[in-house]
Amino acid sequence: MTALWPRIEPLLDRVEKPARYIGMERGAQVPIHRPDAVSWLLVYPDTYEVGLPNQGLQILYEILNERHDAAAERGYAPWTDLEALMRSRSVPFFSLDTHKPAGEFDVIAFGLAAELVYTNVLNCLDLSGVPVRAEARRDEDPIVVAGGHATFNPEPMADFIDAFVIGDGEEVVGDMTEVIGAWKRSGRVGGREAVLHDLSLIMGVYVPSMYEVEYDGMAIREVRPRYPDVPSTVDKRTIADLGEWPYPKNQLVPLIEVVHDRLNVEIFRGCTRGCRFCQAGMITRPVRERPLEQARTMVAEGLKRTGYDEVALTSLSSADFSGIGELVSGIIDGQEEACGNVGVSLPSLRVDAFTVGIASEIQRIRRTGLTFAPEAGSWRLRQVINKLITEEDLYAAVDGAFSQGWRRMKLYFLIGLPTEMDDDTLGIAELAKNVVEIGKRYTKAASCTASVGGFVPKPHTPFQWFGQNSSEELQRKVGMLRDATRKGGVKLSWHDPKATMVEGINSRGDRRIGKVIERVWRSGGVFQEWSEHFKVDRWIEAMAAEGLDIDWYTTRHRTGEEIQPWDHITAGLHKDFLWQDWQSALAEHGLPDCRWTPCYDCGVCTDYAIEHVVASPFAPAGGSQGTGQDLSIGGAVPVRFLSKPGVGVAR
Amino acid sequence: MRGEGAFPVRLRFAERGKVRFISHRDAARAFDRAFRIEALPLALSEGFSPRPKVSFGLALSVGHESIAEYMDVRFSEPVDLEALPARLTAALPEGIEVTGVALLADRAPALQESVTAVEWELEVAKIDESEVSAEEISLRIEALFETKSLPVNRIRKGREDIVDIRPALTRMSVIESGSVGIVLTAEIATQPAARPSEVVTVLGEDLRAVRVLRTAQWIERDGNRQEPLIADAARVSEARAS
């Protein structure tokens, strides 16, 4: 093993935030590299401050280091200042824990949370001295793996990644370690092809080189496995019970400020609210709650170990946790013994009075800002997207919040949703203005920020067939909203429509987009999530150079018959269910949450023989829960309660 | 620093190794977490948003090491001073070590205003990596002290100023040849102040600092110089040598 630290250290006096590169956080593991064990480098391909808090990476880091046949370290993309110094001195990409060269690991695994990090993956590989294209790698090169939500459409990155993990990583990394370890100990018998073939047989692993794609003009004619035993459809991997995975046990405490700089405890995984634009909610089904007692222990021990004074109870809709009230009051009341006050934050708040009640309990001291996400400006459009928040729900929640001392409201919206008309868009300004009006009854300082982002249709959602708005159209809508919010105390913020277009190219792209990603990277396009580095012209030029039409990939409506690039990957959702839900959307029909109402058979539970794991068959508080649903039929659902029968995952 | 049941303490700590790359603010946050990890009874300020009563001395620049950093903290009740250094060191990042604590006397003045001089150990080398001798550096130091003024450019809040650092330089001498360059010691006043990088600049534009270590801070009272831990102490407890 070569430690690179003596060569990195002299460079750090010349770069911004040098502590990004030193490691040694509280909670950092001491990896033991044995020659016959499999070494993993887990990379978040963005800056340290963005990547360190990533829970998926921290979970796998611990799970792998607990194994005797594996060791894991972490890596984050160096900022452009350090990268330039590294390249000029031939210092390769390195791990943070022991500053070992990335190329010396058996596996380099990337977490892909979103599409705009793709070019950074190529850059990290190149800096490691590993060929960026999978086909050029030799037996002794690391196996390049990727996981994370973006891999549910792996095709744009198929040229660069040896094996994708689809779904929950907790179990699959163990299976992969065994396959790669056996191959390594055998003296790499059969070469790279053999180990990749074996990896492709693990449930939840997709090896793109095991499949051939045949085109018919622009359309995909067929995606065919190259061996008879390679599955024609790759199923996602799902852990049946979150209670069996109380990770991270030693959350990392960074030495410098990072995003989400607090203790994070995941209270449930999966969401069945059924918001049709939301890929996370579709691909992470079913709902699996962490047992209340375990959540309590993780919070209490985590605060004690880390010294943090804030804990976030994370999930896709935290107020829906069965024990949310008890959990929150337990933390708040327990703080008398602790050192000072402990703050609790709940990402993804629902819009209703119950939520405001919880918020007022957890923000007893600083009541400055509260965020809600109505997502669309009119009730009609909210029915289309199945975010069934009535205006009454929103205004009541906002009134409650202002009356209890909050002064700033932030509202999240999407623009460019299916069936959206200008009246729907202008409804955003109307809602925000009314929120300010309500606030003025309580305080002169009342304000409301409307934050709008362009909608990007995502694979495995009912909107996967929808042609997204062009960047010009999104820009026009932003302009319209700017005009409409000039008066009335509303602040408007928006996401760059050009970045939305690029996300769209990658979100629903096929294998041909790989060459575009490579061109953008070769032209210097890294850190595309950072506005100072994002230049849309690089993408436009690369698409043109590859003879690919941006509109074909982004604004074109797909037909039901068309083979989508990700059709050989499944999250368990039946294609007819998604199509039916798309038709219901166009008919403005909502769909209830199946946690508390009978199953409509989306396909996930039935196909994988798994079920919701929730502690209560009833919604956690009365009323509509901000969904507009009639929940009187709640309790009729075949939910599995928090016992632990050995429900296996179908293989 | 007064109040009922209050227990004001001054800490001395070292910051060496990789951890030198964190900022002064990051170090403050690390102490904040260490107090919580050890469940120490921090006194909180009164008011709408109670904050722990912690105050740091002079800032340490990113990349500089120190064996003489100080901070004042107020506990709401007495804590075991003997055990405090080891408890905090265990809860702090690797490389930050609490080396001594003192119970502060009542009405102790604020750290930042009290410190009058700072000592540094600087290892300097040629930028072009050519050899430099201890004799040459000694001659350059002598020449410095013969000048009347040493103007340097200083950027503060985006504005460039020319500052004379000659009055800040009180003592400088070569210690030895180091692993890379020449190690020297410099004593610099705080009013007016000079930065170690500025001292290296006036020593020669062809030099750079390869290592900067703060070795001491001094408080002057009635013509006597004292270490901050002693200067305002009611009771002192040094950590056992580690």
Side-chain angles (χ1 to χ4, degrees):
Chain A
M1 192 182 92
T2 346
L4 290 170
W5 178 250
R7 294 173 63 199
I8 296 162
E9 190 176 24
L11 310 181
L12 297 188
D13 282 324
R14 292 183 240 175
V15 301
E16 230 181 84
K17 301 187 186 175
R20 284 168 167 169
Y21 310 107
I22 63 176
M24 59 177 220
E25 306 89 339
R26 196 173 186 82
Q29 309 274 318
V30 184
I32 300 159
H33 292 284
R34 298 183 189 84
D36 58 348
V38 177
S39 56
W40 290 69
L41 178 62
L42 305 172
V43 182
Y44 194 94
D46 205 325
T47 61
Y48 177 82
E49 301 93 286
V50 175
L52 180 114
N54 184 269
Q55 296 293 291
L57 193 148
Q58 293 199 27
I59 290 168
L60 301 181
Y61 176 60
E62 291 189 7
I63 288 175
L64 286 166
N65 278 318
E66 283 177 9
R67 293 180 69 100
H68 291 293
D69 58 353
E73 300 200 32
R74 296 165 293 132
Y76 306 91
W79 191 243
T80 48
D81 55 356
L82 182 62
E83 186 203 330
L85 292 170
M86 287 164 67
R87 287 195 186 273
S88 73
R89 285 159 180 76
S90 305
V91 174
F93 183 47
F94 54 85
S95 69
L96 197 71
D97 299 277
T98 67
H99 297 91
K100 179 176 146 107
E104 291 183 12
F105 284 81
D106 297 317
V107 182
I108 304 181
F110 293 93
L112 304 180
E115 299 87 0
L116 289 183
V117 300
Y118 287 172
T119 57
N120 274 18
V121 170
L122 276 61
N123 204 41
C124 288
L125 288 173
D126 185 59
L127 261 177
S128 307
V130 174
V132 295
R133 300 190 72 81
E135 66 200 8
R137 290 179 199 136
R138 301 147 302 174
D139 291 355
E140 59 274 25
D141 284 321
I143 309 281
V144 178
V145 174
H149 287 184
T151 65
F152 275 81
N153 176 17
E155 295 300 82
M157 289 294 281
D159 289 351
F160 319 110
I161 303 295
D162 293 313
F164 290 93
V165 169
I166 316 292
D168 297 333
E170 281 90 341
E171 293 172 348
V172 81
V173 290
D175 297 348
M176 294 175 83
T177 296
E178 279 160 29
V179 166
I180 296 166
W183 177 68
K184 189 180 164 185
R185 289 186 292 273
S186 77
R188 297 187 163 83
V189 65
R192 220 174 164 83
E193 177 80 359
V195 72
L196 292 179
H197 185 182
D198 285 350
L199 286 172
S200 76
L201 306 179
I202 298 171
M203 188 192 184
V205 176
Y206 169 60
V207 177
S209 64
M210 295 292 129
Y211 297 80
E212 269 160 12
V213 182
E214 202 180 303
Y215 299 98
D216 179 5
M218 279 310 287
I220 293 168
R221 182 181 293 150
E222 198 189 356
V223 179
R224 209 175 28 242
R226 287 174 44 231
Y227 297 93
D229 56 348
V230 171
S232 55
T233 302
V234 176
D235 285 293
K236 73 163 177 180
R237 195 69 174 262
T238 306
I239 54 164
D241 188 348
L242 196 61
E244 287 176 12
W245 301 95
Y247 293 91
K249 294 173 178 168
N250 289 290
Q251 190 188 300
L252 293 159
V253 186
L255 297 175
I256 61 172
E257 277 181 86
V258 299
V259 302
H260 311 308
D261 203 354
R262 59 197 177 199
L263 180 71
N264 292 292
V265 174
E266 185 184 26
I267 52 175
F268 68 87
R269 197 172 294 177
C271 179
T272 40
R273 291 242 153 216
C275 303
R276 291 176 175 129
F277 56 87
C278 177
Q279 189 191 38
M282 293 289 163
I283 62 176
T284 59
R285 295 171 175 216
V287 172
R288 288 146 292 156
E289 286 190 353
R290 192 178 293 291
L292 177 62
E293 269 317 301
Q294 189 181 66
R296 276 188 171 141
T297 311
M298 287 176 74
V299 170
E301 288 183 356
L303 287 171
K304 215 165 138 188
R305 190 184 317 104
T306 59
Y308 272 125
D309 60 359
E310 186 186 351
V311 56
L313 305 173
T314 67
S315 75
L316 292 170
S317 179
S318 294
D320 288 340
F321 183 62
S322 295
I324 192 66
E326 282 170 270
L327 182 59
V328 167
S329 40
I331 298 167
I332 302 289
D333 297 341
Q335 74 188 15
E336 275 142 41
E337 303 164 30
C339 185
N341 292 311
V342 174
V344 182
S345 60
L346 298 175
S348 312
L349 279 184
R350 283 189 331 236
V351 182
D352 59 28
F354 174 70
T355 297
V356 172
I358 286 207
S360 63
E361 190 171 358
I362 63 187
Q363 295 191 357
R364 273 193 278 209
I365 301 162
R366 274 168 295 165
R367 285 185 187 170
T368 46
L370 206 55
T371 303
F372 293 116
E375 308 288 3
S378 70
W379 170 245
R380 186 197 70 77
L381 193 53
R382 289 193 294 274
Q383 286 178 294
V384 171
I385 65 175
N386 204 40
K387 182 105 186 187
L388 302 175
I389 296 163
T390 62
E391 283 178 27
E392 293 71 41
D393 284 331
L394 176 68
Y395 296 149
V398 164
D399 192 280
F402 279 121
S403 73
Q404 290 174 62
W406 271 281
R407 287 175 298 175
R408 287 201 313 264
M409 295 295 136
K410 190 167 186 179
L411 303 178
Y412 278 121
F413 294 98
L414 289 167
I415 52 172
L417 288 163
T419 77
E420 183 180 61
M421 307 292 278
D422 284 358
D423 282 350
D424 301 305
T425 317
L426 287 168
I428 293 172
E430 208 52 44
L431 279 181
K433 276 190 215 169
N434 290 339
V435 165
V436 176
E437 282 307 307
I438 292 169
K440 294 275 188 214
R441 289 181 217 149
Y442 298 97
T443 166
K444 275 185 188 160
S447 76
C448 177
T449 301
S451 171
V452 296
F455 171 60
V456 179
K458 296 283 172 149
H460 309 281
T461 69
F463 291 168
Q464 63 178 352
W465 289 280
F466 173 66
Q468 79 181 64
N469 281 188
S470 66
S471 57
E472 294 79 15
E473 173 67 354
L474 290 174
Q475 195 63 57
R476 184 187 69 81
K477 288 178 179 174
V478 167
M480 202 166 70
L481 282 172
R482 285 177 72 183
D483 288 341
T485 53
R486 273 188 218 287
K487 285 180 198 160
V490 175
K491 279 175 223 147
L492 186 73
S493 69
W494 63 92
H495 187 65
D496 179 4
K498 296 189 177 74
T500 303
M501 180 189 88
V502 172
E503 284 169 36
I505 292 171
N506 289 292
S507 166
R508 291 189 293 172
D510 51 36
R511 286 192 181 190
R512 291 168 288 199
I513 294 299
K515 291 207 166 66
V516 174
I517 294 168
E518 188 172 345
R519 275 182 188 274
V520 171
W521 164 64
R522 287 198 189 280
S523 73
V526 293
F527 288 104
Q528 296 295 282
E529 289 197 300
W530 296 71
S531 55
E532 69 243 60
H533 285 293
F534 175 77
K535 285 201 184 68
V536 74
D537 290 349
R538 287 199 175 106
W539 291 92
I540 293 171
E541 283 158 21
M543 287 291 282
E546 290 300 325
L548 299 173
D549 179 26
I550 292 174
D551 285 334
W552 192 84
Y553 281 94
T554 56
T555 61
R556 182 178 61 93
H557 293 290
R558 277 68 162 168
T559 64
E561 294 74 46
E562 182 175 335
I563 295 176
Q564 307 253 39
W566 54 90
D567 275 355
H568 55 299
I569 308 293
T570 175
L573 299 153
H574 291 165
K575 204 170 177 181
D576 343 345
F577 160 73
L578 290 175
W579 181 260
Q580 186 52 51
D581 206 35
W582 173 222
Q583 299 311 306
S584 301
L586 296 174
E588 299 167 16
H589 287 157
L591 185 68
D593 188 325
C594 62
R595 234 173 312 188
W596 306 305
T597 53
C599 174
Y600 46 73
D601 196 12
C602 67
V604 178
C605 294
T606 43
D607 279 17
Y608 295 146
I610 45 180
E611 290 173 347
H612 292 314
V613 181
V614 294
S616 162
F618 302 104
S624 71
Q625 297 302 305
T627 65
Q629 293 173 31
D630 177 7
L631 289 168
S632 54
I633 45 174
V637 215
V639 291
R640 192 177 124 217
F641 294 98
L642 286 164
S643 55
K644 279 194 211 161
V647 176
V649 174
R651 272 188 174 257
Chain B
M1 297 290 275
R2 292 186 68 84
E4 211 172 324
F7 195 75
V9 169
R10 180 163 292 169
L11 309 172
R12 180 184 62 213
F13 62 98
E15 203 179 304
R16 281 177 295 187
K18 288 180 188 173
V19 79
R20 74 181 184 278
F21 290 113
I22 69 172
S23 69
H24 188 61
R25 202 178 130 79
D26 295 330
R29 289 174 348 107
F31 269 98
D32 203 43
R33 290 190 300 262
F35 292 134
R36 287 176 169 278
I37 289 168
E38 285 300 311
L40 287 160
L42 285 185
L44 299 178
S45 64
E46 284 171 23
F48 191 62
S49 175
R51 305 290 310 158
K53 293 185 166 183
V54 176
S55 65
F56 277 80
L58 300 172
L60 185 68
S61 296
V62 172
H64 293 180
E65 294 180 292
S66 176
I67 53 170
E69 294 305 292
Y70 296 89
M71 69 178 288
D72 289 345
V73 55
R74 197 174 180 80
F75 298 113
S76 57
E77 57 189 78
V79 299
D80 179 358
L81 288 184
E82 293 289 322
L84 193 57
R87 285 176 72 187
L88 283 173
T89 300
L92 284 162
E94 189 186 326
I96 301 184
E97 190 188 346
V98 176
T99 56
V101 295
L103 177 65
L104 279 183
D106 270 355
R107 298 177 184 281
L111 252 178
Q112 206 150 6
E113 292 146 30
S114 313
V115 172
T116 47
V118 174
E119 272 179 44
W120 297 94
E121 197 175 287
L122 308 169
E123 185 167 349
V124 297
K126 286 273 184 70
I127 291 169
D128 64 8
E129 292 177 7
S130 64
E131 286 281 312
V132 62
S133 69
E135 291 70 32
E136 188 188 336
I137 299 294
S138 291
L139 287 172
R140 289 194 193 190
I141 291 172
E142 275 175 42
L144 274 193
F145 279 86
E146 278 161 23
T147 59
K148 288 266 185 306
S149 75
L150 291 166
V152 296
N153 290 327
R154 186 182 289 174
I155 297 163
R156 287 200 72 164
K157 291 175 184 161
R159 264 187 39 205
E160 199 168 320
D161 277 339
I162 294 177
V163 184
D164 180 13
I165 64 162
R166 178 65 189 83
L169 297 186
T170 49
R171 193 168 52 77
M172 252 170 105
S173 59
V174 168
I175 306 177
E176 59 188 359
S177 290
S179 56
V180 184
I182 303 301
V183 183
L184 55 97
T185 173
E187 186 186 301
I188 305 174
T190 56
Q191 300 282 347
R195 298 170 185 169
S197 59
E198 294 167 344
V199 174
V200 175
T201 305
V202 296
L203 208 51
E205 301 271 357
D206 56 340
L207 297 175
R208 67 184 178 98
V210 289
R211 197 168 59 80
V212 179
L213 172 73
R214 176 139 66 194
T215 51
Q217 297 190 37
W218 299 108
I219 289 176
E220 201 162 306
R221 291 270 156 72
D222 313 320
N224 288 327
R225 253 171 36 153
Q226 283 181 316
E227 194 214 335
L229 206 59
I230 315 273
D232 300 310
R235 183 151 58 88
V236 181
S237 178
E238 297 273 345
R240 288 191 195 94
S242 54

